[in-house]
Coordinates of all heavy atoms in Angstrom, one line a residue:
K291 N 49.7 -97.0 -9.7 CA 50.5 -96.0 -10.6 C 51.8 -95.7 -9.9 O 52.0 -95.9 -8.7 CB 49.7 -94.7 -10.8 CG 49.7 -93.7 -9.7 CD 49.0 -92.4 -10.1 CE 49.3 -91.3 -9.2 NZ 48.7 -90.1 -9.5
K292 N 52.8 -95.4 -10.8 CA 54.1 -95.1 -10.3 C 54.1 -93.8 -9.5 O 53.5 -92.8 -9.9 CB 55.1 -94.9 -11.5 CG 55.5 -96.1 -12.1 CD 56.5 -95.7 -13.2 CE 56.8 -96.8 -14.2 NZ 57.8 -96.4 -15.2
I293 N 54.8 -93.8 -8.4 CA 55.0 -92.6 -7.6 C 56.4 -92.7 -6.9 O 57.0 -93.8 -7.0 CB 53.9 -92.4 -6.4 CG1 54.0 -93.5 -5.4 CG2 52.5 -92.3 -7.0 CD1 53.3 -93.2 -4.1
Y294 N 56.9 -91.6 -6.4 CA 58.1 -91.6 -5.6 C 57.6 -91.6 -4.2 O 56.9 -90.8 -3.7 CB 59.0 -90.4 -5.9 CG 59.8 -90.7 -7.1 CD1 59.4 -90.2 -8.4 CD2 61.0 -91.4 -7.0 CE1 60.1 -90.5 -9.5 CE2 61.8 -91.6 -8.2 CZ 61.3 -91.2 -9.4 OH 62.1 -91.4 -10.5
F295 N 58.1 -92.6 -3.4 CA 57.8 -92.8 -2.0 C 59.1 -92.7 -1.3 O 59.9 -93.6 -1.4 CB 57.1 -94.1 -1.8 CG 56.5 -94.3 -0.4 CD1 55.5 -93.5 0.0 CD2 57.0 -95.2 0.4 CE1 55.0 -93.6 1.3 CE2 56.5 -95.4 1.7 CZ 55.5 -94.6 2.2
G296 N 59.3 -91.6 -0.6 CA 60.6 -91.4 -0.1 C 61.6 -91.1 -1.2 O 61.3 -90.2 -2.1
N297 N 62.6 -91.9 -1.4 CA 63.5 -91.7 -2.5 C 63.5 -92.9 -3.5 O 64.4 -93.1 -4.2 CB 64.9 -91.5 -2.0 CG 65.4 -92.7 -1.2 OD1 64.7 -93.6 -0.9 ND2 66.7 -92.7 -0.9
K298 N 62.4 -93.6 -3.5 CA 62.3 -94.8 -4.2 C 61.0 -94.7 -5.2 O 60.0 -94.3 -4.7 CB 62.1 -96.0 -3.3 CG 62.3 -97.3 -3.8 CD 62.3 -98.4 -2.7 CE 62.8 -99.7 -3.1 NZ 63.0 -100.6 -2.0
E299 N 61.2 -95.2 -6.4 CA 60.1 -95.3 -7.3 C 59.3 -96.6 -7.0 O 59.9 -97.6 -7.0 CB 60.5 -95.2 -8.8 CG 59.3 -95.0 -9.7 CD 59.8 -94.7 -11.1 OE1 60.8 -95.3 -11.6 OE2 59.1 -93.9 -11.8
V300 N 58.0 -96.4 -6.7 CA 57.2 -97.6 -6.4 C 55.9 -97.5 -7.1 O 55.6 -96.5 -7.8 CB 56.9 -97.6 -4.8 CG1 58.2 -97.6 -4.0 CG2 56.1 -96.4 -4.4
L301 N 55.1 -98.6 -7.0 CA 53.7 -98.6 -7.5 C 52.8 -98.4 -6.3 O 52.8 -99.2 -5.3 CB 53.4 -99.9 -8.2 CG 54.3 -100.2 -9.4 CD1 54.0 -101.6 -10.0 CD2 54.1 -99.1 -10.5
N302 N 52.0 -97.3 -6.3 CA 51.1 -97.1 -5.3 C 49.8 -97.8 -5.6 O 49.2 -97.6 -6.7 CB 50.8 -95.5 -5.2 CG 49.9 -95.2 -4.0 OD1 50.3 -95.4 -2.9 ND2 48.7 -94.7 -4.3
L303 N 49.4 -98.6 -4.7 CA 48.1 -99.4 -4.8 C 47.0 -98.5 -4.1 O 47.1 -98.2 -3.0 CB 48.2 -100.7 -4.2 CG 46.9 -101.6 -4.1 CD1 46.5 -101.9 -5.5 CD2 47.2 -102.8 -3.3
Y304 N 46.0 -98.2 -4.9 CA 44.9 -97.4 -4.4 C 43.6 -98.1 -4.6 O 43.4 -98.7 -5.7 CB 44.9 -96.1 -5.1 CG 43.8 -95.1 -4.6 CD1 44.1 -94.4 -3.4 CD2 42.6 -95.0 -5.2 CE1 43.1 -93.5 -2.9 CE2 41.6 -94.1 -4.7 CZ 41.9 -93.4 -3.5 OH 40.9 -92.6 -3.0
Y305 N 42.7 -98.1 -3.6 CA 41.4 -98.6 -3.8 C 40.4 -97.9 -2.9 O 40.6 -97.5 -1.8 CB 41.3 -100.1 -3.4 CG 42.0 -100.5 -2.2 CD1 41.3 -100.7 -1.0 CD2 43.4 -100.7 -2.1 CE1 42.0 -101.1 0.2 CE2 44.1 -101.0 -1.0 CZ 43.4 -101.2 0.2 OH 44.0 -101.6 1.3
N306 N 39.3 -97.5 -3.5 CA 38.2 -96.8 -2.8 C 36.9 -97.1 -3.5 O 36.7 -96.7 -4.7 CB 38.5 -95.3 -2.9 CG 37.6 -94.5 -2.1 OD1 36.5 -94.9 -1.7 ND2 38.0 -93.2 -1.8
L307 N 36.0 -97.8 -2.9 CA 34.7 -98.1 -3.4 C 33.6 -97.4 -2.7 O 33.7 -97.1 -1.5 CB 34.5 -99.6 -3.3 CG 35.4 -100.5 -4.2 CD1 35.0 -102.0 -3.9 CD2 35.2 -100.2 -5.6
S308 N 32.5 -97.2 -3.3 CA 31.3 -96.7 -2.7 C 30.9 -97.5 -1.5 O 30.9 -98.8 -1.6 CB 30.1 -96.6 -3.7 OG 30.5 -95.8 -4.8
P309 N 30.5 -96.9 -0.4 CA 30.1 -97.7 0.8 C 29.0 -98.8 0.5 O 29.1 -99.9 1.1 CB 29.5 -96.6 1.7 CG 30.3 -95.4 1.3 CD 30.4 -95.5 -0.2
E310 N 28.1 -98.6 -0.4 CA 27.1 -99.6 -0.7 C 27.7 -100.9 -1.3 O 27.0 -101.9 -1.4 CB 25.9 -99.1 -1.5 CG 26.3 -98.6 -2.9 CD 26.6 -97.1 -3.0 OE1 26.9 -96.5 -2.0 OE2 26.7 -96.7 -4.2
K311 N 28.9 -100.8 -1.8 CA 29.6 -102.0 -2.4 C 30.6 -102.7 -1.4 O 31.2 -103.6 -1.8 CB 30.3 -101.6 -3.7 CG 29.4 -101.0 -4.7 CD 28.4 -102.0 -5.2 CE 27.6 -101.4 -6.4 NZ 26.6 -102.3 -6.9
W312 N 30.7 -102.1 -0.2 CA 31.7 -102.7 0.7 C 31.2 -104.0 1.2 O 30.0 -104.4 1.2 CB 31.8 -101.8 2.0 CG 32.5 -100.4 1.7 CD1 33.0 -100.0 0.6 CD2 32.6 -99.4 2.6 NE1 33.5 -98.7 0.7 CE2 33.3 -98.3 2.0 CE3 32.2 -99.2 4.0 CZ2 33.6 -97.1 2.6 CZ3 32.5 -98.0 4.6 CH2 33.2 -97.0 3.9
G313 N 32.2 -104.9 1.6 CA 31.9 -106.1 2.2 C 31.5 -107.3 1.3 O 31.0 -108.3 1.7
R314 N 31.7 -107.1 0.0 CA 31.3 -108.1 -1.0 C 32.5 -108.7 -1.8 O 32.3 -109.4 -2.7 CB 30.3 -107.5 -2.0 CG 29.0 -106.9 -1.3 CD 28.1 -106.4 -2.4 NE 27.0 -105.6 -1.7 CZ 26.1 -104.9 -2.3 NH1 26.2 -104.9 -3.7 NH2 25.2 -104.3 -1.7
G315 N 33.7 -108.3 -1.4 CA 34.9 -108.8 -2.0 C 35.3 -108.0 -3.3 O 36.3 -108.5 -4.0
Y316 N 34.6 -107.0 -3.6 CA 35.0 -106.2 -4.8 C 36.3 -105.6 -4.8 O 37.1 -105.6 -5.8 CB 33.9 -105.2 -5.2 CG 32.5 -105.7 -5.5 CD1 31.4 -105.2 -4.9 CD2 32.4 -106.8 -6.3 CE1 30.1 -105.7 -5.2 CE2 31.1 -107.3 -6.6 CZ 30.0 -106.7 -6.0 OH 28.7 -107.2 -6.3
A317 N 36.7 -105.0 -3.6 CA 38.0 -104.4 -3.5 C 39.1 -105.4 -3.6 O 40.1 -105.2 -4.3 CB 38.1 -103.7 -2.1
T318 N 38.9 -106.6 -3.0 CA 39.9 -107.7 -3.2 C 40.0 -108.1 -4.6 O 41.1 -108.3 -5.1 CB 39.5 -108.8 -2.3 OG1 39.4 -108.4 -0.9 CG2 40.5 -110.0 -2.4
E319 N 38.9 -108.2 -5.3 CA 39.0 -108.5 -6.8 C 39.7 -107.5 -7.6 O 40.5 -107.8 -8.4 CB 37.5 -108.7 -7.2 CG 37.4 -109.2 -8.7 CD 36.0 -109.3 -9.1 OE1 35.0 -109.4 -8.3 OE2 35.7 -109.4 -10.3
M320 N 39.4 -106.2 -7.3 CA 40.0 -105.2 -8.1 C 41.5 -105.1 -7.8 O 42.4 -105.0 -8.7 CB 39.4 -103.8 -7.7 CG 39.8 -102.7 -8.6 SD 41.4 -101.9 -8.2 CE 41.2 -101.5 -6.5
I321 N 41.9 -105.3 -6.5 CA 43.3 -105.3 -6.1 C 44.1 -106.5 -6.8 O 45.2 -106.3 -7.3 CB 43.5 -105.4 -4.6 CG1 43.1 -104.0 -4.0 CG2 44.9 -105.7 -4.2 CD1 43.0 -104.0 -2.5
A322 N 43.4 -107.6 -6.8 CA 44.1 -108.8 -7.5 C 44.4 -108.5 -8.9 O 45.5 -108.8 -9.4 CB 43.2 -110.0 -7.4
K323 N 43.5 -107.9 -9.6 CA 43.7 -107.5 -11.0 C 44.9 -106.4 -11.2 O 45.7 -106.5 -12.0 CB 42.5 -107.0 -11.7 CG 42.6 -106.8 -13.2 CD 42.9 -108.2 -13.8 CE 42.9 -108.1 -15.3 NZ 43.3 -109.3 -16.0
A324 N 44.8 -105.5 -10.3 CA 45.9 -104.4 -10.3 C 47.3 -105.1 -10.0 O 48.2 -104.7 -10.7 CB 45.6 -103.4 -9.2
L325 N 47.3 -106.0 -9.0 CA 48.6 -106.6 -8.7 C 49.1 -107.5 -9.9 O 50.3 -107.6 -10.1 CB 48.5 -107.3 -7.4 CG 48.4 -106.5 -6.2 CD1 48.2 -107.3 -4.9 CD2 49.5 -105.5 -6.0
E326 N 48.1 -108.2 -10.5 CA 48.4 -109.0 -11.7 C 49.1 -108.2 -12.8 O 50.1 -108.5 -13.4 CB 47.2 -109.7 -12.2 CG 47.4 -110.6 -13.4 CD 46.1 -111.1 -13.9 OE1 45.2 -111.5 -13.1 OE2 45.9 -111.2 -15.1
T327 N 48.5 -107.0 -13.1 CA 49.0 -106.1 -14.1 C 50.3 -105.6 -13.7 O 51.3 -105.6 -14.5 CB 48.0 -104.9 -14.3 OG1 46.7 -105.5 -14.7 CG2 48.5 -104.0 -15.3
A328 N 50.5 -105.2 -12.4 CA 51.8 -104.7 -12.0 C 52.9 -105.8 -12.1 O 54.0 -105.5 -12.6 CB 51.7 -104.2 -10.5
G329 N 52.5 -107.0 -11.7 CA 53.5 -108.1 -11.7 C 53.9 -108.5 -13.1 O 55.1 -108.9 -13.3
S330 N 53.0 -108.3 -14.1 CA 53.4 -108.7 -15.4 C 54.1 -107.6 -16.2 O 55.0 -107.9 -17.0 CB 52.2 -109.1 -16.2 OG 51.3 -108.0 -16.4
C331 N 53.9 -106.3 -15.8 CA 54.5 -105.2 -16.5 C 55.8 -104.7 -15.8 O 56.7 -104.4 -16.5 CB 53.5 -104.1 -16.6 SG 52.1 -104.5 -17.7
L332 N 55.7 -104.6 -14.5 CA 56.9 -104.1 -13.8 C 57.1 -105.0 -12.5 O 57.0 -104.5 -11.4 CB 56.6 -102.7 -13.3 CG 56.5 -101.6 -14.4 CD1 56.0 -100.3 -13.9 CD2 57.9 -101.5 -15.1
P333 N 57.6 -106.2 -12.7 CA 57.7 -107.1 -11.6 C 58.7 -106.8 -10.6 O 58.6 -107.2 -9.4 CB 58.1 -108.5 -12.3 CG 58.7 -108.1 -13.6 CD 58.0 -106.8 -14.0
S334 N 59.7 -105.9 -10.9 CA 60.7 -105.6 -10.0 C 60.3 -104.4 -9.1 O 61.0 -104.1 -8.1 CB 62.0 -105.2 -10.7 OG 61.9 -104.1 -11.5
Y335 N 59.2 -103.7 -9.4 CA 58.8 -102.6 -8.6 C 58.1 -103.0 -7.3 O 57.2 -103.9 -7.4 CB 57.8 -101.7 -9.4 CG 58.5 -100.7 -10.3 CD1 59.3 -101.1 -11.3 CD2 58.3 -99.3 -10.1 CE1 59.9 -100.2 -12.2 CE2 58.9 -98.4 -10.9 CZ 59.7 -98.8 -11.9 OH 60.3 -97.9 -12.7
P336 N 58.5 -102.4 -6.2 CA 57.7 -102.7 -5.0 C 56.3 -102.0 -5.1 O 56.2 -101.0 -5.8 CB 58.5 -102.1 -3.9 CG 59.5 -101.2 -4.5 CD 59.6 -101.6 -6.0
V337 N 55.4 -102.6 -4.4 CA 54.0 -102.0 -4.3 C 53.8 -101.6 -2.9 O 54.1 -102.3 -1.9 CB 53.0 -103.1 -4.7 CG1 51.5 -102.6 -4.5 CG2 53.2 -103.6 -6.1
V338 N 53.2 -100.4 -2.7 CA 52.8 -99.9 -1.4 C 51.4 -99.5 -1.4 O 50.8 -99.0 -2.4 CB 53.7 -98.7 -0.9 CG1 55.2 -99.1 -0.8 CG2 53.6 -97.5 -1.8

């Protein structure tokens, strides 16, 4: 989601899964989809 980080508008990447789902690649999969969406909609925005 868009946030201001310092004095710059950026896309904040957030991920938090339940501990029982850790270590199975789900966070990586979710992040890949989020970055794909960000890249297609707002490619010039930095992601943090």
Side-chain angles (χ1 to χ4, degrees):
K291 81 173 190 179
K292 285 185 193 179
I293 65 165
Y294 279 93
F295 188 67
N297 61 350
K298 192 173 194 174
E299 193 171 37
V300 303
L301 297 175
N302 185 63
L303 175 64
Y304 184 81
Y305 47 99
N306 186 343
L307 294 177
S308 302
E310 64 268 14
K311 300 296 184 181
W312 292 355
R314 300 180 191 176
Y316 296 134
T318 302
E319 183 179 344
M320 190 279 308
I321 288 171
K323 190 62 176 175
L325 292 176
E326 177 186 321
T327 300
S330 67
C331 296
L332 293 171
S334 64
Y335 274 65
V337 176
V338 297

